[in-house]
Amino acid sequence: MIKRIEIKLDVIEAMLYFWQTTNEREKVGEAYINNIAEFPAMTYIYDEEFNKESVRKVLSAISNRELMNSPVKKERKFWNNNMWMMEDLEYTNMMISPLKVLNLDTLISKLNSKEIKTKYEILEVAFVPGHQDEYLIRENKLIVNFFRVKSDLYEEGKVTIEDKLLLDYMEEKLTELIND
């Protein structure tokens, strides 16, 4: 039976500082970039092609105002996504703000009412700056690619992921998580 759903935004908060600082033409130190790469939630998007060295390399290139000429598609995608965040920080903030106040408590009773027996009492939803995957499920964790969050420019507070309202998306993916 699910008792709690925790939302983890620590990586996105760290990235927001990176995007703002870099956008203001200030350099972000290597130690800070390495800390981002070492966040536990970031490790879920790592594989044989994309790892913490990829994050360090890409974010260093962005901070140093260098183009990314990597043969690795995931690194190029990560670079492009981060550059997009810095193009319009107002929109970036529109993406982050609803996540900061996201409350998934209403989903607990819905998930518990489904006839699914789960071994997890606590579910975690972590938003990370991903590369290609829309989301990943690892044990009791739903890892969502932050770059897939879309804020509606015309309807304040309306947020979607893959054309689904944020709460509907969360319910669908958390149902998938507890079914595993």
Side-chain angles (χ1 to χ4, degrees):
M1 182 169 178
I2 301 162
K3 294 183 178 173
R4 192 170 72 237
I5 302 174
E6 298 175 352
I7 300 169
K8 306 283 186 175
L9 293 172
D10 48 351
V11 179
I12 299 306
E13 294 284 353
M15 289 303 300
L16 181 59
Y17 172 80
F18 174 85
W19 295 322
Q20 290 171 333
T21 302
T22 304
N23 195 48
E24 293 169 358
R25 303 218 177 267
E26 293 181 34
K27 183 154 174 27
V28 176
E30 287 293 314
Y32 190 84
I33 290 170
N34 285 328
N35 284 340
I36 290 172
E38 292 175 2
F39 270 106
M42 288 296 289
T43 63
Y44 294 109
I45 65 169
Y46 294 161
D47 58 24
E48 59 280 343
E49 292 179 318
F50 189 88
N51 54 38
K52 69 181 183 180
E53 176 57 22
S54 301
V55 172
R56 188 209 60 76
K57 181 169 50 174
V58 170
L59 296 183
S60 289
I62 292 171
S63 182
N64 292 326
R65 309 258 182 263
E66 299 169 354
L67 292 177
M68 190 73 208
N69 291 325
S70 172
V72 180
K73 183 178 180 180
K74 290 178 181 179
E75 290 179 356
R76 291 191 313 269
K77 182 76 171 168
F78 187 69
W79 186 86
N80 283 330
N81 286 339
N82 279 282
M83 294 301 288
W84 169 54
M85 289 296 101
M86 294 188 318
E87 280 179 20
D88 186 353
L89 285 174
E90 191 173 319
Y91 185 74
T92 301
N93 282 317
M94 285 176 63
M95 293 167 63
I96 294 172
S97 294
L99 301 180
K100 287 182 178 181
V101 296
L102 180 63
N103 184 338
L104 299 177
D105 288 348
T106 59
L107 295 183
I108 294 172
S109 60
K110 283 184 176 183
L111 293 169
N112 283 331
S113 71
K114 297 178 190 254
E115 295 187 16
I116 303 167
K117 298 280 190 241
T118 182
K119 58 186 171 190
Y120 305 118
E121 291 185 355
I122 299 171
L123 304 180
E124 289 183 22
V125 176
F127 289 89
V128 299
H131 38 73
Q132 292 177 309
D133 296 322
E134 171 190 328
Y135 71 98
L136 299 166
I137 292 175
R138 299 289 186 268
E139 298 168 353
N140 68 325
K141 296 165 183 56
L142 171 63
I143 295 86
V144 180
N145 186 346
F146 171 73
F147 298 126
R148 300 291 179 100
V149 173
K150 303 290 181 241
S151 286
D152 193 307
L153 294 173
Y154 305 106
E155 192 175 330
E156 188 175 334
K158 182 179 179 185
V159 179
T160 60
I161 300 177
E162 300 302 312
D163 296 325
K164 293 181 181 125
L165 290 174
L166 184 59
L167 274 178
D168 294 341
Y169 181 88
M170 290 292 127
E171 182 179 357
E172 177 183 302
K173 300 310 175 197
L174 289 170
T175 299
E176 184 181 331
L177 183 154
I178 62 175
N179 270 325
D180 275 354

